[in-house]
Amino acid sequence: MKNHVFRPLMVVLGLIGLVLIFRLFYVPKDFSSHENGYMYGWYRTGNIEEWKAFKVKYQGAEYCKDCHADKLESISQSPHMIIQCENCHGPAFEHPSDPEKLPIDRSRGQCLRCHAKLAYPSSGRASIRGIDPEQHNAGTECVSCHNPHKPSLEGLK
Amino acid sequence: MKRREFLKKAAIGVAGITLPLAALEIVNPRKMFAGKDDGAKVRWVFLVDTYKCVGCGLCVKACKNENEIPYDANVTRTWVERYVFTKDGKFHADTPKGARDGFITSKIDLGQGKYEDIKSEDIQKAFFVPKLCNQCENPPCVQVCPVGATYQTPDGVVLVDRSWCIGCGYCIMGCPYGVRFFHPKYHTAEKCNFCYHRITKGLKTACVQACPFGARQIGNMKDPKDPVTKIIMTERVGILKEEYGTKPQVFYIGLDREVK
């Protein structure tokens, strides 16, 4: 073979070899084709464990019950029992150690999520007692009159 | 043999020996064509009951907090859409901020600060539809990933490997449901993963737990006793964009033809 063909060919082959050697060291050992085949299961196994180790923030009402059983008991008498504590009190994380205090969402917007009246047929929203936010004491925080743990009108402050 | 020729051949020989055989193994054909393992014990599926959804958006709030999606960035792993059909035959849909703050007004958000008020007497039907990743059986987002940074776990959830994603955005374009976006902090592809860190610990997803009305449920399709599996197998449920052949695994009760 003539030199002017052979030389560049060797360079190209050499480069391919270098890329392959680099790849051998760069690609993690657990990166390969898995259960779901090459098309959908071509990944680094360690990433599944990384996602499993992601931090849980919302602990659920059962977690709150251990210390705040009285609060849970009082709210369970009301239609608001279906609402998770953390929806208003914020994610518990490691409370009471971290954070020591949870920030409570007492905003008007939080109540209006359900109680802004929307008469939507074929949606559960229509059957929730609601108000027109522009007419009903606009600008006032709902919690200054209503008690979210005892929302019936007898519970008015 | 001439000296020049000897040196040349020796160089080629040495190069050939140095290159380990393993470096040539880009793919293992046997693994490559391995079929799907049907012996899996878990296949996560989701069930949404649109009749129960009231559009409070507490699911979106919980999801953003749980999964560390910047709260004020206009991206979210799950969102709630509002559909309002009026008597003049038109339909209106919106999802302001992905319904992070719920729907607190009858005005439809048209975008760019414009709103359209719809009088309640003009409404023929109206409802809310929560959306999230469908964890497709044939996920197009995974097929198009050039680096293997997104993949389907053996239990059916599609995950994104943040350390491996190069941010090319093919998957974001490839998803017919528009569930993917760039994470504002990590600049990698981001999507709902059914709260993989929670479901693998026996917890419900953050959105399922936060929903006061039971509109969202998660279940294991491989467990015939699972209440969600029972509903999917025995009741009338719909899926989104069936014609794409992606086999979505989020099932809906009360779907309407305009919901896509």
Side-chain angles (χ1 to χ4, degrees):
Chain A
M1 207 184 289
K2 283 171 189 154
N3 251 354
H4 72 276
V5 176
F6 199 60
R7 276 196 188 147
L9 189 68
M10 289 310 291
V11 171
V12 168
L13 287 177
L15 281 175
I16 292 173
L18 281 177
V19 167
L20 289 175
I21 290 168
F22 172 75
R23 187 185 169 278
L24 186 74
F25 291 106
Y26 185 71
V27 176
K29 286 282 163 287
D30 56 347
F31 198 105
S32 65
S33 176
H34 295 281
E35 290 87 347
N36 295 351
Y38 180 65
M39 199 189 285
Y40 301 124
W42 173 247
Y43 63 95
R44 188 169 63 89
T45 323
N47 186 243
I48 293 191
E49 298 309 314
E50 286 168 25
W51 274 116
K52 281 182 183 172
F54 197 76
K55 198 168 163 51
V56 171
K57 283 108 187 162
Y58 283 83
Q59 306 286 3
E62 284 300 308
Y63 181 85
C64 312
K65 202 176 168 182
D66 289 345
C67 302
H68 304 288
D70 53 325
K71 297 280 181 193
L72 222 72
E73 178 61 30
S74 75
I75 204 167
S76 69
Q77 310 293 321
S78 87
H80 277 178
M81 67 176 286
I82 56 171
I83 302 171
Q84 284 281 327
C85 313
E86 289 164 302
N87 279 347
C88 303
H89 293 267
F93 294 93
E94 308 294 325
H95 177 78
S97 59
D98 178 34
E100 282 178 28
K101 226 171 150 49
L102 297 178
I104 307 173
D105 187 351
R106 291 191 176 88
S107 68
R108 191 174 162 90
Q110 178 76 350
C111 308
L112 292 180
R113 284 171 180 270
C114 296
H115 294 294
K117 189 72 186 171
L118 293 176
Y120 286 172
S122 76
S123 163
R125 182 68 168 257
S127 56
I128 299 176
R129 291 163 80 176
I131 51 118
D132 179 347
E134 283 164 24
Q135 302 295 321
H136 185 95
N137 302 317
T140 318
E141 294 299 317
C142 311
V143 291
S144 54
C145 299
H146 301 273
N147 177 358
H149 282 209
K150 199 171 187 246
S152 64
L153 293 178
E154 297 89 71
L156 280 179
K157 284 173 188 168
Chain B
M1 195 183 277
K2 282 180 188 159
R3 198 175 122 113
R4 175 182 273 264
E5 216 173 306
F6 169 76
L7 285 174
K8 236 193 250 171
K9 285 200 172 137
I12 295 167
V14 168
I17 293 161
T18 342
L19 185 67
L21 263 184
L24 290 164
E25 191 195 293
I26 299 171
V27 286
N28 178 339
R30 208 151 45 99
K31 276 187 178 172
M32 187 171 159
F33 293 109
K36 286 199 172 183
D37 181 22
D38 275 329
K41 293 222 162 49
V42 182
R43 204 313 168 194
W44 297 107
V45 291
F46 209 90
L47 180 66
V48 177
D49 189 338
T50 61
Y51 290 105
K52 289 180 179 165
C53 181
V54 306
C56 67
L58 287 169
C59 49
V60 182
K61 183 185 180 183
C63 173
K64 292 196 100 168
N65 286 331
E66 178 73 29
N67 293 299
E68 296 173 18
I69 307 300
Y71 201 68
D72 289 317
N74 199 14
V75 287
T76 174
R77 285 183 172 198
T78 184
W79 68 97
V80 183
E81 293 171 356
R82 163 166 66 181
Y83 291 82
V84 178
F85 294 75
T86 43
K87 286 175 182 160
D88 56 5
K90 287 184 184 149
F91 96 94
H92 314 260
D94 71 343
T95 173
K97 285 184 191 162
R100 185 196 74 184
D101 303 327
F103 293 89
I104 60 172
T105 167
S106 57
K107 293 186 181 80
I108 301 287
D109 188 351
L110 302 174
Q112 289 161 349
K114 287 179 189 150
Y115 296 88
E116 185 183 356
D117 201 4
I118 293 174
K119 293 188 181 71
S120 57
E121 57 266 28
D122 294 334
I123 297 173
Q124 196 146 43
K125 59 177 175 180
F127 50 86
F128 302 98
V129 181
K131 294 270 183 83
L132 67 162
C133 175
N134 284 284
Q135 316 293 354
C136 303
E137 193 62 29
N138 299 330
C141 56
V142 173
Q143 278 191 41
V144 299
C145 180
V147 294
T150 186
Y151 57 94
Q152 194 179 41
T153 62
D155 48 11
V157 177
V158 174
L159 297 179
V160 179
D161 185 342
R162 279 178 185 164
S163 64
W164 211 242
C165 174
I166 57 171
C168 69
Y170 286 180
C171 56
I172 296 172
M173 302 303 288
C175 174
Y177 306 100
V179 304
R180 282 175 174 257
F181 56 92
F182 278 121
H183 193 290
K185 191 172 156 197
Y186 303 109
H187 306 296
T188 53
E190 183 69 24
K191 66 182 277 297
C192 158
N193 58 14
F194 280 3
C195 283
Y196 201 66
H197 58 296
R198 296 178 64 96
I199 56 175
T200 48
K201 291 186 186 78
L203 300 167
K204 302 280 183 206
T205 70
C207 59
V208 168
Q209 192 176 67
C211 180
F213 303 95
R216 289 167 172 258
Q217 291 180 77
I218 184 146
N220 173 12
M221 201 63 177
K222 292 276 166 94
D223 177 8
K225 286 179 188 147
D226 192 301
V228 173
T229 306
K230 277 185 188 167
I231 292 173
I232 294 170
M233 299 311 281
T234 59
E235 291 183 28
R236 282 165 288 181
V237 290
I239 51 171
L240 298 173
K241 297 185 181 172
E242 190 177 1
E243 65 278 16
Y244 281 70
T246 53
K247 296 189 185 161
Q249 300 297 312
V250 175
F251 296 86
Y252 285 86
I253 298 175
L255 263 193
D256 195 88
R257 71 179 193 285
E258 292 296 350
V259 181
K260 287 171 186 119

